[in-house]
């Protein structure tokens, strides 16, 4: 069923259930991990908000050098995801590996105070390594803490909390730059303290140890044989995961990076340069508002429909940038569609992976798909940059839009649930058997 898994029938809800249902339906583990991600994203985005200015204006790094550095960081993070996922399944303690990742990102923050490109590059590489280590174990903890019919809601709550931190981080950085002595050093110091707080919350409030999977997970996971690399990569022999992996890679190859999209918005609509840093906040705000509703919708109507609708929204954003007139409303429309794209895909994909991967290999499966998608998007960034330089921004975006339309169509066909087997014509069915089987096949 791939991304089309639906939830179990819902019972009758009272008014009080509808008001407080989200909190009661999400496990404390998900809420604790959401709090950790919120705090950590405040720390990370504080640095991200000021890093380009600090590197280019403060340390004299060229824009090309910064682009290469940023690309290497993202590539390292994507590759380390495989290590983090495999280690978490191998030692059967997802919290331990996630804590190492969060701790590594916190410990490297003091290196940002050393005003040298070598120390700074080391700090950024360690931070991305920590992110890569923690991503798959954290998502596996979320998946194992939620029943199958509420996976989308659980990831939606987590992504909403995570995005709240992404919104607060840049705001806090600019406040510190305006009121505190020390400039960038003050931002880096506060960022390190906030990151340490996130690690403390993880250690104190996220359940650890070798936990038994939540209801609906594979039974007997703790008695399963020890996980090795062959078992982890052997997941790709499973047709359902292989299809998810292939679709994630295919769509990632035609997903233009956020930085390029914001540059296109600025060039096509004439957004003032001083307002350019606010464009990511627009995407994050929409992501925050829609992550939970679209996660719940995916549980109700099917993950395939929501996942593909998110990519259709991204395709519409490309079309608006290509052909819509440069009206004042255009930037807002594009950012709304961009944020909706992330809300419909970022949590839905790992929820779908969790539905087809056994509990003992949950982190490995999520890491495989996440790494494939991240590397595909990295390749798309390189290709789009080269196409922009050779043809211009318009033809490059038109090529990306055409590719996305073709890939989304192919993914829609590949993710289609298999048709139920037709009854054998040689075996007559009685009226009673026919009527009793029809609800299950509907």
């Amino acid at each position: 069923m791939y991304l089309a898994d639906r939830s179990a029938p819902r019972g009758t809800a009272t008014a009080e259930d509808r008001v407080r249902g989200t909190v009661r339906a999400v496990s404390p583990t998900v809420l604790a991990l959401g709090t950790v991600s919120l705090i950590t994203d405040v720390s990370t985005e504080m640095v991200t908000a000021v890093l380009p200015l600090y590197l280019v204006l403060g340390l004299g790094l060229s824009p090309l050098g910064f682009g290469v550095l940023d690309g290497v960081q993202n590539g390292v993070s994507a590759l380390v995801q495989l290590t983090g996922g495999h280690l978490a399944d191998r030692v059967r303690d997802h919290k331990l590996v996630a804590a190492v990742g969060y701790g590594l990102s916190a410990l490297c923050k003091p290196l940002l105070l050393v005003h040298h490109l070598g120390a700074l590059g080391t700090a950024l590489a360690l931070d991305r390594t920590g992110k890569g280590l923690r991503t798959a174990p954290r998502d596996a903890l979320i998946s194992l803490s939620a029943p199958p019919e509420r996976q989308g809601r659980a990831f939606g709550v987590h992504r909403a909390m995570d995005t709240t931190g992404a919104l607060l981080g840049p705001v806090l950085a600019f406040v510190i730059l305006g009121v505190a002595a020390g400039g960038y050093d003050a931002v880096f110091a506060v960022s390190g303290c906030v990151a340490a707080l996130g690690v403390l919350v993880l250690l104190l409030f996220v359940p650890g140890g070798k936990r038994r999977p939540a209801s609906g997970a594979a039974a007997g996971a703790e008695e399963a044989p020890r996980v090795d690399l062959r078992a982890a990569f052997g997941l790709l022999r499973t047709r359902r995961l292989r299809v998810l992996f292939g679709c994630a890679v295919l769509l990632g190859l035609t997903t233009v990076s956020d930085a390029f999209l914001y540059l296109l918005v600025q060039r096509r609509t004439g957004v003032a340069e001083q307002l350019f840093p606010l464009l990511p906040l627009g995407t994050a705000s929409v992501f925050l508002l829609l992550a939970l509703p679209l996660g719940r919708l995916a549980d109700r109507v099917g993950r395939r429909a929501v996942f593909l609708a998110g990519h259709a929204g991204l395709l519409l954003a490309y079309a608006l940038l290509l052909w819509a007139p440069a009206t004042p409303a255009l930037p807002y429309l594009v950012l709304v569609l961009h944020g909706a794209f992330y809300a419909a895909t970022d949590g839905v994909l790992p929820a779908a992976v969790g539905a087809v991967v056994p509990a003992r290999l949950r982190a490995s499966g999520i890491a495989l798909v996440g790494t494939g998608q991240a590397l595909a998007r990295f390749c798309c960034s390189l290709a789009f940059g080269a196409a922009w330089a050779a043809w211009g921004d318009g033809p490059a975006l038109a090529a990306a839009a055409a590719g996305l339309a073709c890939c989304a169509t192919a993914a829609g066909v590949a993710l289609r649930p298999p048709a139920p087997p037709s009854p054998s014509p040689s075996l007559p069915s009685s009226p009673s058997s026919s009527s009793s089987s029809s609800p299950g096949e509907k």
Side-chain angles (χ1 to χ4, degrees):
M1 290 186 290
Y2 315 125
L3 284 161
D5 293 86
R6 297 180 181 230
S7 64
R10 301 174 64 196
T12 303
T14 64
E16 182 180 359
D17 289 336
R18 286 193 295 268
V19 173
R20 298 187 296 174
T22 297
V23 175
R24 291 159 54 180
V26 176
S27 73
T29 298
V30 174
L31 295 176
L33 285 168
T35 303
V36 173
S37 292
L38 188 156
I39 295 171
T40 303
D41 249 36
V42 169
S43 169
T44 300
E45 295 303 322
M46 286 176 63
V47 175
T48 302
V50 302
L51 195 60
L53 294 177
Y54 176 66
L55 287 173
V56 175
L57 300 182
L59 298 183
L61 189 66
S62 69
L64 177 60
F66 174 73
V68 172
L69 180 63
D70 183 66
V72 170
Q73 288 182 75
N74 292 328
V76 167
S77 177
L79 291 174
V80 175
Q81 277 193 58
L82 289 173
T83 303
H86 174 68
L87 285 177
D89 287 336
R90 187 176 181 85
V91 303
R92 300 181 187 176
D93 194 337
H94 300 100
K95 177 183 174 180
L96 174 63
V97 179
V100 172
Y102 281 108
L104 190 61
S105 294
L107 289 174
C108 73
K109 289 296 192 296
L111 288 175
L112 295 173
L113 299 173
V114 180
H115 300 276
H116 187 273
L117 280 176
L120 189 64
T122 301
L124 296 177
L126 290 174
D127 180 68
R128 295 297 91 184
T129 300
K131 178 177 174 58
L133 282 175
R134 68 181 181 251
T135 298
R138 179 203 65 201
D139 283 352
L141 281 170
I142 296 171
S143 179
L144 293 171
S145 300
E149 68 272 12
R150 288 178 176 170
Q151 293 272 313
R153 179 184 305 209
F155 278 101
V157 168
H158 176 268
R159 295 312 196 253
M161 298 178 73
D162 182 270
T163 308
T164 301
L167 283 170
L168 295 176
V171 175
L172 182 57
F174 285 115
V175 169
I176 293 173
L177 284 176
V179 303
Y184 296 117
D185 285 349
V187 174
F188 298 151
V190 174
S191 173
C193 295
V194 175
L197 176 62
V199 177
L200 184 63
V201 172
L202 174 73
L203 296 176
L204 293 179
F205 296 103
V206 176
K210 299 178 180 180
R211 305 165 52 249
R212 188 175 296 277
S215 61
E222 293 184 340
E223 290 76 24
R226 190 175 181 85
V227 174
D228 56 18
L229 284 174
R230 179 178 297 180
F233 284 99
L235 287 171
L236 291 176
R237 291 196 296 267
T238 305
R239 184 175 183 275
R240 292 198 292 174
L241 183 67
R242 191 167 63 247
V243 169
L244 284 174
F245 178 85
C247 289
V249 171
L250 194 64
L251 292 167
L253 287 172
T254 53
T255 301
V256 175
S257 74
D258 295 355
F260 280 126
L261 186 78
Y262 299 141
L263 286 172
L264 287 166
V265 170
Q266 195 274 331
R267 289 170 65 92
R268 293 278 171 164
T269 64
V271 172
E273 291 185 7
Q274 61 267 29
L275 298 179
F276 182 83
L278 299 179
L279 295 179
L281 299 183
T283 295
S285 299
V286 177
F287 189 1
L288 170 62
L289 292 174
L290 296 182
L292 177 56
L294 290 183
R296 296 175 64 181
L297 182 65
D299 288 336
R300 289 200 303 270
V301 306
R303 294 169 191 139
R304 171 181 178 268
V306 175
F307 185 75
L308 294 176
H311 285 87
L314 182 63
L315 183 60
L316 179 57
Y318 291 173
L320 289 175
L321 286 173
L322 282 170
W323 297 299
T327 62
L330 182 58
Y332 299 100
L333 291 174
V334 173
L335 294 179
V336 166
L337 291 169
H338 194 224
F341 158 72
Y342 278 116
T345 59
D346 192 67
V348 171
L349 184 59
V353 174
V356 301
V357 173
R360 72 185 187 94
L361 293 169
R362 189 67 51 85
S364 298
I366 292 174
L368 279 172
V369 175
T371 298
Q373 183 185 57
L375 291 177
R377 289 181 174 178
F378 175 65
C379 292
C380 178
S381 295
L382 295 179
F384 186 83
W388 187 333
W391 306 332
D393 56 351
L397 184 59
L404 179 58
C406 295
C407 292
T409 301
V413 174
L415 294 172
R416 188 170 51 195
S422 57
S424 173
S426 61
L427 297 176
S429 57
S430 65
S432 60
S433 64
S434 174
S435 61
S436 63
S437 63
S438 60
E441 295 172 356
K442 188 173 181 179

